[in-house]
Amino acid sequence: MLTSPKVFNYPIPGNPTGGILHIYGEAAAAQDVILYCGGFPDGLEPISNLAERLATARDGQARGCYVGVTCFPGFDNKTFNEQKFTGFKKSGFTFDEVTCCVRDAADLLFEEHAKSVSSSTDECKTTFTLMTHDWGVVIGHLFINRAIEERSFTQHKPDRLVLLDVLSFPHPKSNYKEKLRGKEIQKRTTRDNLLSLSYRIAFAMSFAVLQFSEAGGLLLLAGFTT
């Protein structure tokens, strides 16, 4: 049975409580801290079972991970149903804005972690893993690049970045083959490239129409995805 997470809100552009963060697990001085952000059109639900498993102690561990789950602004069903379009920008949010939202979610996650371990006599040793999925992969790349290049961007630079996306492909100079114990990964075919391109064009066209007609953009998106 899924354990209810601790629920927190954080500010997003134009809305002081529009961001949502679910936290799973109990904080410990030495622990892996994980922040997950899914992409369009996912909310928080698809990752909730995995988040609880990561937060559960296994194989003799004293504690599991300390896991935070967030999503793109406006894609949490509960928050959106409560605030509708009054709490979120009709034109959507830029990738830079979403990246800053994820940074604020990370700050809140570590703030809550610090509150729980502040009375501990053990030295606080945490590792930070940023995990992103689908369109969240773009945010993962932007987050880690800004964390490296801009010292003032965030106090919490990820130690690891996990990207979950069917359109991603390992860098040719990476050691992914050794990591997969020598198993070969098929190279992209022309069909794969065409599917990827059509997927991106569909969303780009829908977003463009949405700027002029909300109903038209949504209908076009529905037509492309059915």
Side-chain angles (χ1 to χ4, degrees):
M1 183 177 181
L2 194 63
T3 303
S4 297
K6 300 173 184 176
V7 181
F8 301 88
N9 291 98
Y10 59 89
I12 62 172
N15 187 339
T17 60
I20 187 78
L21 177 69
H22 284 189
I23 297 180
Y24 296 82
E26 299 297 328
Q31 190 174 36
D32 292 323
V33 178
I34 300 173
L35 177 63
Y36 170 90
C37 177
F40 173 88
D42 290 340
L44 307 177
E45 296 81 6
I47 201 68
S48 55
N49 284 287
L50 176 60
E52 184 177 25
R53 290 185 64 184
L54 290 171
T56 302
R58 296 176 183 276
D59 300 325
Q61 296 176 332
R63 293 284 178 90
C65 302
Y66 195 70
V67 185
V69 178
T70 190
C71 60
F72 277 35
F75 284 94
D76 171 58
N77 291 330
K78 183 175 183 297
T79 306
F80 181 78
N81 288 333
E82 289 174 350
Q83 303 183 24
K84 297 294 182 182
F85 285 106
T86 59
F88 304 99
K89 294 167 60 177
K90 182 179 179 180
S91 59
F93 298 84
T94 66
F95 280 127
D96 282 335
E97 287 176 326
V98 179
T99 303
C100 290
C101 290
V102 174
R103 174 201 58 193
D104 293 341
D107 288 344
L108 179 56
L109 179 64
F110 275 92
E111 180 182 326
E112 292 302 316
H113 183 274
K115 287 179 183 178
S116 301
V117 300
S118 59
S119 59
S120 173
T121 57
D122 298 329
E123 182 181 359
C124 190
K125 296 179 180 179
T126 59
T127 59
F128 177 28
T129 299
L130 178 61
M131 183 185 300
T132 59
H133 170 248
D134 200 68
W135 282 97
V137 166
V138 178
I139 304 306
H141 281 111
L142 290 172
F143 189 107
I144 196 69
N145 285 332
R146 293 191 64 178
I148 292 171
E149 296 176 0
E150 304 173 32
R151 292 184 179 181
S152 61
F153 175 68
T154 180
Q155 302 177 51
H156 309 292
K157 185 185 298 184
D159 299 289
R160 291 185 293 266
L161 177 63
V162 178
L163 307 174
L164 307 173
D165 186 56
V166 294
L167 299 182
S168 294
F169 197 81
H171 191 280
K173 292 184 179 180
S174 70
N175 64 339
Y176 70 92
K177 291 184 179 180
E178 289 78 7
K179 292 288 186 181
L180 295 175
R181 298 178 184 175
K183 293 181 179 179
E184 293 290 336
I185 295 180
Q186 290 183 342
K187 294 183 178 180
R188 282 187 175 182
T189 64
T190 301
R191 179 177 179 275
D192 293 333
N193 290 328
L194 288 174
L195 285 174
S196 175
L197 181 62
S198 62
Y199 176 81
R200 297 174 186 182
I201 290 175
F203 282 105
M205 291 179 60
S206 301
F207 183 78
V209 173
L210 186 65
Q211 307 310 301
F212 303 97
S213 170
E214 180 182 320
L218 293 175
L219 287 172
L220 184 60
L221 179 61
F224 277 129
T225 54
T226 55

